[in-house]
Amino acid sequence: MRNWKLLPAITVATLAAAIVLYVAFYFVFLDFFVDLWWFRSLEFEAYFWLKLLYRFIFSGAVTAFFFAVFLFHFWIASRYLGLNPPDEILMDDSKRRRFQRFADVFMSGSARVYTPISLLLAVVIAVPFYLQWEQALLFFFGSASGIVDPVYGNDVSFYMFSYPIYMLIQKELLTTAVIVFLATGVLYWMEHVFVPNQSKEFPLGAKIHLTVLFAFVVLFVIWGFLLERFALLYSAGNEPVFFGPGFVELRYKLPMIWLEVLFFLAIAISVVFYALSERHRSKTPVIVASLGFLAVWGLQGSHTLPELIEKFIVKPNFTRTEGDSIRHNIDATMAAFDLNNIKTVDFQVNLDATKDIEAWSTKKHFENIPVWDREFLIDSYMQLQGIRPYYGFPTVDEDRYFINGHHQQVNLAAREVNIDKLPKEAQNWENTHLRYTHGYGAVISPAAQDAGIPIVWYLRDLNMTSDVGFSVKYPDIYYGLEKYRYAIVPNNLAVTDISSSAAGDSLDYQGNSGIPIPSLFRKMLFAFYLKDEKIFFSPNISAQSKLLLRRNIDERITALTPFLHLDKDPYLVVNKERFYWIQDAYTLSNYYPVSKPAADDYLDGQHKFNYIRNSVKIVVDAYDGSVDYYISDPKDPIINAYNRAYPGVFKNLREMPDELMQHLRYPRDLYYMQMKIYAKYHQNSPELFYEQAETWQFASVDGQPVLPYFITMDFDRCNDMEEFVMINPMTPVHRDNLSMVGIAGTLDENSCDHSYKPGITIFKFPKAVQVNGPSQVNALIDQNPEIASQFTLWNQQGSEVKKGRMVILTMGNSILYVQPIYMLATKTKMPELARVIVSVGNQVVMDKTLQAAFSRLKDLFIKGAAGSVSGISAAEGK
C-alpha cells in the first residue's frame, strides 16, 4: 500500500528529471559541443575556450562577489552585532540560558533564510554584468588613445572603455548598498523584537554597522552625480546647430551637479550626527540641507532659467558664447569619423575643354569608364550565364585586374546555388543537403563596353572559358552570400551532370573546414541538433563526410566575432587557386565625447554610434570556408583591445597574401557615411559652421541621390598608375551646381605600390565659376530634341529606355559626365546597352562608343559650338 502511495511522487520526480536532462542535453550539451567542433574545424579552438573563460569567469566572479557581500553583512548582523542583553540577564544563569536558546534559534533560522536570499540577490545583481561581459573586456584590455576630450581633459578611451562599465558598476553597487542597508536594518529590528531580554537601545556595534552601510549608500550616490557630469558630453540639447555641451550645460548644469553633491553630502552628515548623537539632537541641519538639495534639484530639472540664459545671454552673441563648444564638436566629430586626413585640392575649371579631351582620349581611359551598372547587369548575368535553374547571382561586384597591359575595371559575380529555384518536387532532403551543395565558378565582364554589341566576357560558362588568362583550380563555391542550408560532403551519393563535374564530384571536396562525422554517435547528435532524423538514417553519409554549417559569410563571421559590425557589400576576389570573399568590418562606439552620432541605418543593422573605424579586413575562402582576420587600422584602440584579449585571432595586414592585398578597397558604406558627415563638418570654423552657408548634399538626378561608385582611373598622382577609387559628387544644399567631387582610394602616393593606405581627396570647385551638376546635365540631355526623339522612337518599339548611373570624373581641368542608356525588352528582363551619352561643359553627345563620342565632343569644341548645342552621329537615326 505504501508503495502505491509513493507512485505519483516517483512519477513526478522521474518526469521532472527527464525534462531537466532533455533541456540540459538539447540546449547545453549539444550546442556546446557542436560549437566547439565548429570552432575547432576553423582552427579557432583556443579562441573558443578563451571566450567561454572570459564570459563565465567574469560573471561568476561578479556573482561570487555580490553573494559574499550580502552573506557577510547578514551573517555579522545576525550573529555578532545585533544581540544586546542587559548585564542582569547575563548574571542570572537560567535567564542567560533562556536568552541563549532563543538567540541560537534565531541565528540558525535566519541563516537558513538569508543564505539562499543572498545567492538569489547576487544572481539578479550580476545579470547585467553577464550581458555586458564584452564591454568589460574593453575595460580590462583597453589602453589610452592619446587623444583627450576638450572639456574634462580625460583620454577618450576612458569614455569608450571605462565610462560605460563605471555607470553599470555604480548602479549595481548602489542597488546592493541600499538592499544591504535596508535588509540589515530589518534584521536588527527583528532581533530586537523577537529575541527576549534585549536592551531598549540598539547595540553600538549595530549602529556602527548601519552607519558604515549608510556611508556606502551616500558614496555610491555621490559617485553617480560625478558620473552624471560626463553625460553632459553627449547632450543633444543644442541640436540642430551643434552637438555636445554648450554654454548652458557648462555654465549652469555642471555647477548644479556640484551643488547637488555638496547638499547631498550635507544631508548625509546631518543624518549621521542626528542618529548617533545622544545629546544636542537637532533636525534643523537635516531640514536645511534637504531644502537646499531639493531647490538645486528643482533648478536642475527646470527649463525656465536655462531658457532665459539662452534668450538673453547666448542667442544675442551666439558665436562668442558657443564658439568653443562648436569647435569642440567639429574637432571631435572629425576625429571620431576619421576625417582629419582628408586632402583638399582647389580645382581650376577650364571652360575650353579641347586640350583636356585630346589628352584624355586614350584607349586606356576608355577601357575603364564603367557604363554597365550592376543593378542592370545582374539581369543580363542571370539570363546569359545562369545556365542551370539552381544557379543564381546574388549580387554583382566591381574590381580591377591587370588585363591587356594595365589595370582594368571589371564587373564580376559568383555563380551560387539556390535550391529554392528548383521545382518543388526536386526540393527534397537528398538534393538539398547532399547533391546541390555548392555553386560553381564566376562570370567576369569589362565595366567599359561599346553599345549595340553583345556583352564581352572575360570569364564565362561552366567550363570557365577565359580569353584573358583567368583560371581557377577550385571553382566550387560552398560559402557565399546566399542563404545556404547545411551540407554534408563528401558523401556516397552519385552526382551527375551538376556544374561541369562528372559523377561522384562531391567526393572531390578537399576543404579543411567542416565538422567530421566519423561515427554513428556523431550522426545521432547532429540529427538531434539539426532536428533532422534523415542524417542518422541516411546510408550516403560516410566516415569521411563532413558537416558544413553557417555557410552564409555574414552568418559565419558574426558567429565567430559578434563584436565586429559588417559592411553590407562583401565582394568576390579571383585568383588562380580559388575564389575568396573580402568583408570589411568595423568597430563602433557610442561614447566618443562630443562627437555627433550617426543618423542613418548603416552597416548590418540599426546601431547607435558616434565613432567608427574600418579596423578589420576579413577574408573568407569560398571553397573551404576558412576565415582570416587582418587588422587594417592599427591605431584603433578598440581593435587593439580585442587583439590583446584574443591573441592569435587577428593578423597584421602585412601578412595578407599580395594577390589579395591588391584587391583591397575603400569601403562603400563607410565612405557614404563619412561624406554625409563631412558635408556639414567641412566648415571647420565656428563662424562658418554656425552660418551653414557652404553645407553640401549628395548630388541628385531625377530626385535620386548619386551614391558613391567605383572607378579605376589614373589621376596623375602615381607615375601613371591607375587607382581603384570611389567617386562622390556633392552640390550646395538646395542647389544643383557641383561644389566638389570626392575621391576615396587606398593607394599610397609615396610608395606607389599596392600598400594599403586609405585616404580621401576632395576636389573643390571655385565659387565664381558655374560647374554643372548631374541634375543640370540631365536637363541638358532631356532638352536635346534629337536625343528626345530617339528615346521616343525606342519606347514605341516594344522596349523601354532606361538611363543608367551618371559617371562624373575630373578630366584635366574639366568635368566629364558619362551616362549609359539601356533598352529593356518588355517580355524578357535582359537590358541591352544601347548608347552612351558624354557631356563636358554644356556640350552633350550621344553615340555607340566612348571613342566616337569623344571625337564629336572634340569637333564641337574646336568649331567653337556654343551653349547647349548637341550632336548626334549620323548613324543615330537608323
Side-chain angles (χ1 to χ4, degrees):
M1 182 67 70
R2 180 174 296 178
N3 291 337
W4 282 102
K5 291 181 179 180
L6 291 176
L7 186 60
I10 294 173
T11 303
V12 170
T14 303
L15 287 174
I19 292 172
V20 169
L21 288 174
Y22 176 78
V23 170
F25 170 77
Y26 199 85
F27 293 101
V28 179
F29 175 83
L30 262 183
D31 281 352
F32 172 80
F33 277 100
V34 171
D35 279 347
L36 172 61
W37 295 331
W38 185 71
F39 275 79
R40 180 183 294 164
S41 72
L42 290 170
E43 300 181 354
F44 281 117
E45 184 176 357
Y47 164 65
F48 172 83
W49 289 112
L50 198 56
K51 274 184 65 175
L52 206 65
L53 197 66
Y54 285 143
R55 187 170 194 168
F56 288 101
I57 282 189
F58 176 67
S59 55
V62 170
T63 304
F65 169 77
F66 283 109
F67 175 68
V69 168
F70 285 118
L71 189 64
F72 171 75
H73 289 289
F74 292 158
W75 179 65
I76 63 172
S78 64
R79 192 169 186 86
Y80 291 108
L81 301 179
L83 303 176
N84 186 30
D87 291 340
E88 60 268 19
I89 298 298
L90 297 176
M91 298 295 293
D92 189 315
D93 189 57
S94 62
K95 291 182 178 180
R96 179 173 56 79
R97 284 198 300 270
R98 182 169 177 268
F99 168 80
Q100 191 64 47
R101 186 168 61 252
F102 273 99
D104 290 342
V105 170
F106 183 87
M107 287 188 291
S108 60
S110 60
R112 285 193 291 270
V113 173
Y114 63 65
T115 299
I117 289 178
S118 297
L119 181 60
L120 179 62
L121 288 172
V123 170
V124 172
I125 294 292
V127 165
F129 290 94
Y130 178 80
L131 298 176
Q132 298 189 38
W133 67 275
E134 283 191 341
Q135 183 64 51
L137 279 188
L138 297 179
F139 174 76
F140 287 114
F141 290 98
S143 60
S145 68
I147 304 173
V148 297
D149 84 90
V151 178
Y152 301 113
N154 297 316
D155 192 280
V156 297
S157 62
F158 165 80
Y159 301 99
M160 293 196 291
F161 300 154
S162 303
Y163 177 53
I165 287 295
Y166 285 160
M167 288 194 295
L168 176 62
I169 293 173
Q170 184 271 336
K171 178 183 176 182
E172 300 305 314
L173 286 179
L174 177 60
T175 304
T176 301
V178 170
I179 292 173
V180 171
F181 174 72
L182 295 177
T184 304
V186 170
L187 193 57
Y188 281 134
W189 176 80
M190 292 175 63
E191 288 176 325
H192 202 67
V193 170
F194 293 108
V195 177
N197 300 316
Q198 290 267 44
S199 296
K200 294 182 179 180
E201 293 289 331
F202 268 24
L204 180 61
K207 289 182 178 181
I208 293 174
H209 188 199
L210 290 174
T211 302
V212 170
L213 293 177
F214 180 70
F216 275 112
V217 173
V218 172
L219 176 66
F220 296 140
V221 170
I222 291 175
W223 190 21
F225 285 131
L226 296 180
L227 290 176
E228 187 181 341
R229 296 177 302 144
F230 302 129
L232 297 178
L233 298 175
Y234 310 99
S235 171
N238 297 296
E239 295 247 79
V241 181
F242 68 94
F243 181 85
F247 186 88
V248 170
E249 286 77 17
L250 298 179
R251 300 292 185 269
Y252 175 76
K253 292 185 177 181
L254 183 59
M256 287 296 171
I257 292 174
W258 284 111
L259 285 176
E260 283 180 326
V261 171
L262 181 64
F263 279 110
F264 188 82
L265 190 59
I267 292 173
I269 294 173
S270 302
V271 168
V272 170
F273 271 102
Y274 180 82
L276 297 182
S277 178
E278 297 181 0
R279 301 179 180 180
H280 309 296
R281 284 187 173 183
S282 175
K283 299 178 181 178
T284 303
V286 177
I287 294 173
V288 171
S290 299
L291 291 175
F293 178 81
L294 290 174
V296 172
W297 181 74
L299 289 173
Q300 173 82 325
S302 171
H303 296 290
T304 304
L305 196 53
E307 288 174 356
L308 292 175
I309 294 173
E310 282 279 345
K311 184 176 181 179
F312 294 107
I313 298 177
V314 176
K315 289 183 177 179
N317 197 1
F318 195 91
T319 55
R320 184 171 181 177
T321 54
E322 301 286 25
D324 289 342
S325 298
I326 294 175
R327 165 62 64 189
H328 297 160
N329 177 220
I330 295 172
D331 292 344
T333 303
M334 295 286 280
F337 290 93
D338 202 16
L339 294 169
N340 279 333
N341 296 318
I342 288 182
K343 179 181 177 182
T344 302
V345 177
D346 291 326
F347 189 91
Q348 299 301 318
V349 178
N350 190 350
L351 297 179
D352 184 1
T354 306
K355 292 182 180 180
D356 292 332
I357 293 173
E358 289 179 349
W360 222 75
S361 301
T362 65
K363 180 181 178 183
K364 190 175 178 181
H365 283 132
F366 294 149
E367 288 185 342
N368 273 332
I369 297 179
V371 295
W372 267 110
D373 300 352
R374 61 180 185 172
E375 294 80 6
F376 290 97
L377 191 58
I378 193 169
D379 293 325
S380 294
Y381 279 5
M382 287 296 299
Q383 290 287 340
L384 299 175
Q385 285 293 305
I387 300 179
R388 306 288 171 82
Y390 44 84
Y391 286 142
F393 301 98
T395 186
V396 176
D397 297 316
E398 304 98 336
D399 207 340
R400 72 286 197 193
Y401 288 84
F402 197 79
I403 302 170
N404 298 327
H406 69 103
H407 284 95
Q408 190 170 338
Q409 183 157 325
V410 300
N411 296 110
L412 70 164
R415 188 183 288 107
E416 299 190 46
V417 69
N418 188 338
I419 301 298
D420 294 336
K421 294 182 179 181
L422 284 172
K424 289 293 182 182
E425 60 271 18
Q427 295 180 28
N428 52 61
W429 183 85
E430 213 172 62
N431 282 343
T432 301
H433 301 291
L434 302 184
R435 180 176 281 113
Y436 297 102
T437 57
H438 57 280
Y440 192 87
V443 292
I444 303 177
S445 61
Q449 300 200 24
D450 293 336
I453 63 173
I455 292 179
V456 177
W457 299 100
Y458 285 166
L459 183 68
R460 60 176 297 173
D461 299 336
L462 296 179
N463 57 11
M464 303 290 285
T465 300
S466 176
D467 297 327
V468 294
F470 285 106
S471 64
V472 181
K473 184 178 179 181
Y474 299 105
D476 302 300
I477 298 176
Y478 286 89
Y479 300 86
L481 305 182
E482 288 284 4
K483 296 180 179 179
Y484 286 96
R485 301 171 177 88
Y486 73 86
I488 300 175
V489 291
N491 53 65
N492 297 329
L493 195 65
V495 178
T496 58
D497 199 26
I498 292 181
S499 70
S500 62
S501 57
D505 172 70
S506 64
L507 292 174
D508 295 331
Y509 177 75
Q510 300 173 18
N512 295 323
S513 69
I515 307 174
I517 315 177
S519 63
L520 284 174
F521 179 67
R522 280 263 181 114
K523 289 179 70 175
M524 181 188 70
L525 289 182
F526 290 136
F528 273 104
Y529 179 77
L530 296 167
K531 303 182 182 69
D532 197 336
E533 73 285 350
K534 300 180 187 68
I535 295 175
F536 182 75
F537 292 106
S538 174
N540 293 310
I541 300 176
S542 67
Q544 288 75 41
S545 297
K546 292 182 178 181
L547 175 66
L548 308 185
L549 294 173
R550 297 163 184 157
R551 299 201 290 145
N552 175 273
I553 62 170
D554 281 1
E555 179 188 6
R556 193 171 189 80
I557 294 169
T558 301
L560 281 169
T561 47
F563 51 85
L564 295 177
H565 303 271
L566 306 183
D567 190 273
K568 290 183 287 191
D569 188 29
Y571 53 96
L572 188 71
V573 173
V574 183
N575 72 3
K576 292 186 179 299
E577 187 71 16
R578 58 189 70 192
F579 298 108
Y580 294 93
W581 297 101
I582 297 183
Q583 171 75 66
D584 285 290
Y586 305 96
T587 46
L588 309 178
S589 175
N590 198 33
Y591 289 100
Y592 197 96
V594 201
S595 172
K596 178 180 175 60
D600 286 346
D601 176 14
Y602 298 113
L603 313 179
D604 54 344
Q606 292 185 352
H607 304 286
K608 292 182 179 180
F609 64 94
N610 65 355
Y611 169 91
I612 184 171
R613 288 295 184 272
N614 175 215
S615 51
V616 181
K617 303 285 186 179
I618 307 172
V619 177
V620 181
D621 190 320
Y623 180 69
D624 71 6
S626 60
V627 184
D628 291 299
Y629 294 86
Y630 299 93
I631 295 178
S632 55
D633 189 351
K635 295 181 180 179
D636 174 37
I638 298 179
I639 199 59
N640 286 331
Y642 282 121
N643 192 28
R644 282 188 287 270
Y646 300 123
V649 172
F650 301 96
K651 301 176 183 178
N652 192 294
L653 192 63
R654 291 190 298 270
E655 299 178 53
M656 181 181 285
D658 184 65
E659 60 268 22
L660 296 178
M661 174 81 81
Q662 58 186 291
H663 290 283
L664 296 183
R665 62 175 59 174
Y666 204 100
R668 192 195 305 263
D669 282 357
L670 176 64
Y671 186 45
Y672 168 73
M673 182 194 60
Q674 286 178 315
M675 286 298 97
K676 195 157 189 178
I677 296 288
Y678 192 70
K680 178 179 180 180
Y681 280 84
H682 74 95
Q683 303 165 110
N684 56 8
S685 73
E687 292 77 17
L688 286 175
F689 193 86
Y690 181 62
E691 292 169 4
Q692 293 294 306
E694 296 184 25
T695 303
W696 299 330
Q697 64 183 5
F698 287 101
S700 63
V701 178
D702 293 332
Q704 297 298 317
V706 179
L707 300 179
Y709 55 89
F710 287 104
I711 194 166
T712 305
M713 199 60 60
D714 174 16
F715 291 96
D716 297 324
R717 299 196 291 185
C718 244
N719 303 323
D720 297 329
M721 179 178 287
E722 291 146 319
E723 305 177 47
F724 185 67
V725 301
M726 261 187 301
I727 301 289
N728 179 70
M730 282 194 161
T731 65
V733 172
H734 306 309
R735 301 294 297 173
D736 293 326
N737 57 292
L738 208 58
S739 291
M740 72 83 160
V741 170
I743 296 177
T746 60
L747 184 68
D748 188 342
E749 294 185 41
N750 296 320
S751 61
C752 288
D753 57 15
H754 295 300
S755 300
Y756 179 77
K757 189 177 180 180
I760 298 174
T761 300
I762 300 296
F763 291 97
K764 293 182 67 174
F765 305 127
K767 301 176 185 177
V769 179
Q770 162 71 19
V771 179
N772 288 337
S775 183
Q776 293 167 326
V777 173
N778 188 60
L780 290 175
I781 295 171
D782 290 340
Q783 292 166 7
N784 186 282
E786 295 184 55
I787 294 178
S789 63
Q790 186 65 65
F791 286 177
T792 303
L793 179 63
W794 282 335
N795 280 323
Q796 293 174 352
Q797 295 177 350
S799 60
E800 181 184 5
V801 176
K802 288 285 187 181
K803 292 179 181 177
R805 175 189 57 216
M806 189 173 287
V807 176
I808 305 166
L809 280 172
T810 57
M811 182 182 69
N813 290 106
S814 306
I815 303 299
L816 170 68
Y817 288 87
V818 178
Q819 186 170 43
I821 303 299
Y822 307 104
M823 281 202 300
L824 281 74
T826 54
K827 295 182 179 180
T828 305
K829 192 177 181 182
M830 188 174 69
E832 174 192 350
L833 180 63
R835 295 293 186 271
V836 178
I837 295 176
V838 178
S839 174
V840 177
N842 290 325
Q843 307 291 355
V844 178
V845 172
M846 184 168 76
D847 215 307
K848 289 186 177 181
T849 69
L850 287 167
Q851 189 168 2
F854 264 72
S855 295
R856 295 195 58 80
L857 269 179
K858 180 181 175 182
D859 292 340
L860 286 174
F861 275 99
I862 290 175
K863 292 176 182 178
S868 59
V869 177
S870 303
I872 300 181
S873 64
E876 284 301 302
K878 299 180 181 180

